[in-house]
Amino acid sequence: MTDLLIMLSVLFISFIAGYALISRVPALLHTPLMSMTNAISAVTILGGLLLFAVETTAVEKVLGALAIIMAAFNVVGGFVITDRMVKMFKKNSK
């Protein structure tokens, strides 16, 4: 139970720190920042998958599954937005 509280505390503190930092980033830097968050989300997915490789409690399995789902959503959303931005800079051949 202590490990769970430590992990939730780290999650909460990192959420607050991440929000405080990202909210101050100028709009021109959002694309490089988004690619970095995609990389971090990929590491989160790997960590969640590693969690299923060992014996865990039901709560840890649910938290691992939620981490994988949210990180995958972030990765897919990042690629969709990046693709839309790249299409804005391509010349139309009409």
Side-chain angles (χ1 to χ4, degrees):
M1 187 65 169
T2 304
D3 291 340
L4 179 62
L5 290 175
I6 290 171
M7 286 189 276
L8 289 174
S9 299
V10 169
L11 175 68
F12 182 71
I13 292 169
S14 63
F15 177 80
I16 291 172
Y19 180 78
L21 291 171
I22 291 173
S23 64
R24 292 183 175 97
V25 173
L28 291 174
L29 297 177
H30 275 282
T31 302
L33 182 65
M34 190 172 16
S35 64
M36 180 54 91
T37 59
N38 280 345
I40 293 170
S41 291
V43 171
T44 304
I45 291 171
L46 290 175
L49 290 173
L50 286 174
L51 185 64
F52 288 109
V54 296
E55 192 172 329
T56 57
T57 65
V59 173
E60 292 170 340
K61 287 182 182 181
V62 169
L63 290 175
L66 284 173
I68 291 171
I69 291 168
M70 288 190 283
F73 182 77
N74 188 36
V75 169
V76 171
F79 281 121
V80 168
I81 291 172
T82 302
D83 185 53
R84 286 177 61 190
M85 291 179 72
V86 168
K87 286 180 182 177
M88 288 172 46
F89 293 103
K90 288 185 177 179
K91 292 182 180 180
N92 291 338
S93 59
K94 291 182 181 178

